[in-house]
Amino acid sequence: MEQYSTRPAQYGPQRNRAPLPAQGRGGAATARPPAGRVGRPVRQRPAPVRPAPGPPGSPVARVVRALRGLPNPRLTGLGGGLFCAAVMTLLGFLDELLFGASLTVYGVLFVPVSLLTALWVRRGDLLTAPVVVPIAYAVGLVAVAESGDGPSGRLMGLVTALATGAGWLYGGTLIAGTVVIVRRIRLVRRRAAARNRPPARP
């Protein structure tokens, strides 16, 4: 009777064979997540979007951005008149001190003051801006106008200065009136849009 010799099965990895790489142990290898982040998806930060270089803005856009950067108070009609008169009086004395009472310098400075007065007056007193602006121009002109002997001489100097700087006076008043008209149109449109807007459903 023949006897078959059986060799015991060898368990465990063979010493002579090198361990298989990760790709050959069970299909696709799964990467272990880093310690402390198990179960948390890795979020990738989006790359910062840089604005594409383009042509500079128009002069009107620059002026609008500059005006938006200024303070935006809301003055009453009386407050707007006092503000404009005080600023023009101060500018008149500075003009006399630094530029020898130049009517041109005074007129140039009057234009932005008129613009700011029309921008800062509140909505309920818009129509007062074109009225107080020329009054403030005349008040500040006292420091710039040539003064003669006595009250009559001062009055004649003021009238002469008003006639000489009439262009600046009309220009500043026109700018203030234009700003007031634009603000009034925008206010009317907003009120009309608010009336036509459907009520919100509960």
Side-chain angles (χ1 to χ4, degrees):
M1 187 173 180
E2 298 180 359
Q3 296 180 357
Y4 297 94
S5 62
T6 60
R7 181 178 295 178
Q10 297 180 1
Y11 297 96
Q14 299 181 3
R15 297 179 180 179
N16 297 332
R17 294 183 180 182
L20 296 175
Q23 288 81 0
R25 293 184 197 167
T30 57
R32 295 182 179 180
R37 297 183 180 180
V38 179
R40 296 181 181 179
V42 180
R43 298 180 179 179
Q44 297 181 356
R45 297 181 179 179
V49 180
R50 297 181 178 179
S58 61
V60 178
R62 295 177 182 176
V63 172
V64 172
R65 286 195 298 266
L67 291 177
R68 288 180 178 178
L70 293 174
N72 191 19
R74 282 292 171 257
L75 303 175
T76 61
L78 179 60
L82 293 176
F83 162 76
C84 191
V87 173
M88 292 310 302
T89 302
L90 178 62
L91 293 178
F93 283 110
L94 290 178
D95 182 18
E96 182 183 8
L97 180 62
L98 300 177
F99 302 99
S102 174
L103 291 176
T104 303
V105 175
Y106 182 80
V108 171
L109 296 175
F110 171 68
V111 174
V113 174
S114 302
L115 177 62
L116 292 178
T117 304
L119 288 175
W120 289 351
V121 70
R122 65 181 185 180
R123 298 174 181 176
D125 298 328
L126 284 176
L127 299 180
T128 60
V131 178
V132 299
V133 162
I135 298 176
Y137 181 88
V139 170
L141 198 61
V142 175
V144 183
E146 296 181 359
S147 58
D149 297 334
S152 59
R154 291 181 177 273
L155 182 60
M156 290 300 298
L158 181 61
V159 172
T160 304
L162 284 173
T164 306
W168 296 109
L169 174 61
Y170 294 150
T173 307
L174 180 62
I175 290 176
T178 304
V179 173
V180 167
I181 291 174
V182 173
R183 290 186 59 188
R184 183 65 181 177
I185 292 175
R186 293 181 59 184
L187 178 61
V188 171
R189 288 181 178 178
R190 289 179 182 178
R191 290 178 179 177
R195 287 195 300 266
N196 297 333
R197 187 179 305 169
R201 297 181 180 180

